[in-house]
Amino acid sequence: MLRIEGIAAFVAVAEAGSISEAARRLRLSKSVVSERLAEMEKTLGATLLHRTTRKLTLTEDGVAFLERASRIVHEVREAAADLAKRRGTLAGPLRIAAPVTFGRMHLGPALYPFLADHPDIELTLDLDDRRVDASSDGYDAIVRHGLIADSRLVAWKLAPSRRLLVASPDYLTRNGTPASLADLGDHRGIFYTNRGVADWRFQGQDGAVVIRGKLALGINNGDVCRDAAIAGLGIALLPAFVAGPAVNSGHLVEIDVGSRPEAEFIFMAHPEGRNPSAKLRAIADHLKKTFGDPPYWDPVG
């Protein structure tokens, strides 16, 4: 007889790509996950995974079984969560991915009181600046800054996100303050490399205006971009949730070049085709209320 624990172990291994990572996500030992996989394959009379010393891959039977197995695991978890909701509680596992800087500065602090009020929610929060695949990587939702271009995702807006053109007072004293978009091209820039391009983008009357500065530093972390700007290395175009506190303290100065940076948002997105759980909706509503509109991290004045 098939056991839901074995199906859940198989889905976790297929999504994680390894027994070690699946065990971490399930909060089990590797030996327990391996035993559940072996028991399920024996019950099915089929090999679902090719195992080598370097990696695991799905067999043809494994590929055929995975889609329905994933749906079964999701439905069982949501059924349990719905029962908990009927009892007036939010409960069960939830896995969310988010960028490192936003997670550290804002998402984590916003979630702590919510989780304290709902202790039966088992949240795993993965902070990573890479663009994860919510469906294949096994996430219930992802939190992202910018546009959600993946048509397989359904996105909810949590908060508007202004971007600020900033530099340190020392840098502007040494190099002058740009007064127009044309002036920017002569300045050294600090660029967030996960965007894939080293440029500054602004709203023009006929669409986006793209300005390329001289590369001072490219880095894939918002904290380091901000700190490099504070150190006087160059000009950076940063989200207000990263740069706002430094602008308020005077460590960075917001620069007005006569045009606004392109508007962006903080999103939560979940895979299309999955009905979002009550606990996920509750978290999204809590975050939207906590962040505010305009969000609390925007600079004062």
Side-chain angles (χ1 to χ4, degrees):
M1 179 178 178
L2 283 179
R3 298 165 62 90
I4 187 63
E5 294 89 348
I7 298 174
F10 166 68
V11 171
V13 170
E15 291 176 343
S18 75
I19 291 177
S20 297
E21 176 60 18
R24 186 187 70 82
R25 294 181 184 182
L26 294 171
R27 301 178 186 176
L28 298 170
S29 67
K30 289 172 58 178
S31 61
V32 169
V33 174
S34 296
E35 288 171 5
R36 290 181 180 180
L37 283 174
E39 180 184 355
M40 189 180 67
E41 288 181 323
K42 182 178 179 180
T43 301
L44 290 171
T47 300
L48 303 178
L49 294 161
H50 286 305
R51 298 166 175 83
T52 69
T53 56
R54 292 188 176 182
K55 64 178 181 179
L56 294 174
T57 56
L58 292 172
T59 64
E60 285 189 30
D61 287 339
V63 172
F65 188 65
L66 178 59
E67 182 179 355
R68 290 186 178 181
S70 298
R71 197 157 56 238
I72 288 168
V73 172
H74 177 74
E75 290 298 328
V76 169
R77 287 175 177 170
E78 291 313 309
D82 286 343
L83 284 177
K85 183 183 177 184
R86 292 178 65 181
R87 298 194 302 269
T89 62
L90 296 173
L94 198 61
R95 190 161 176 252
I96 297 175
V100 174
T101 299
F102 185 75
R104 181 187 64 78
M105 294 182 68
H106 305 287
L107 183 60
L111 286 173
Y112 302 151
F114 179 89
L115 294 173
D117 290 339
H118 302 282
D120 293 326
I121 291 179
E122 302 167 12
L123 177 64
T124 298
L125 183 61
D126 287 345
L127 300 184
D128 196 326
D129 285 336
R130 68 184 178 91
R131 292 283 179 174
V132 302
D133 186 325
S135 299
S136 63
D137 288 345
Y139 292 103
D140 296 288
I142 59 173
V143 174
R144 280 288 172 262
H145 171 251
L147 297 176
I148 300 290
D150 191 336
S151 61
R152 298 171 300 169
L153 297 176
V154 177
W156 301 330
K157 290 180 181 178
L158 298 180
S161 179
R162 284 203 301 135
R163 299 177 75 205
L164 311 176
L165 189 68
V166 295
S168 70
D170 175 64
Y171 175 86
L172 296 176
T173 297
R174 289 185 286 107
N175 297 278
T177 301
S180 67
L181 293 178
D183 293 341
L184 272 181
D186 296 327
H187 283 267
R188 291 168 60 78
I190 300 162
F191 299 102
Y192 181 66
T193 55
N194 277 7
R195 291 183 60 245
V197 289
D199 60 29
W200 296 302
R201 302 178 71 87
F202 295 85
Q203 297 173 356
Q205 292 183 345
D206 299 319
V209 177
V210 178
I211 306 295
R212 295 188 180 275
K214 301 172 184 177
L215 180 65
L217 176 66
I219 190 71
N220 65 345
N221 179 266
D223 286 313
V224 180
C225 284
R226 178 202 58 223
D227 293 346
I230 291 173
L233 293 186
I235 293 175
L237 185 58
L238 299 173
F241 67 76
V242 175
V247 171
N248 287 336
S249 67
H251 289 98
L252 290 175
V253 176
E254 185 175 2
I255 302 167
D256 183 1
V257 290
S259 296
R260 291 185 177 182
E262 286 187 317
E264 293 185 333
F265 292 87
I266 304 294
F267 288 94
M268 175 177 281
H270 65 86
E272 187 180 37
R274 288 189 194 173
N275 291 324
S277 63
K279 57 183 175 289
L280 186 62
R281 289 186 180 277
I283 284 179
D285 290 342
H286 168 78
L287 293 176
K288 189 172 183 178
K289 181 178 179 181
T290 301
F291 295 155
D293 186 3
Y296 69 82
W297 55 69
D298 278 3
V300 177

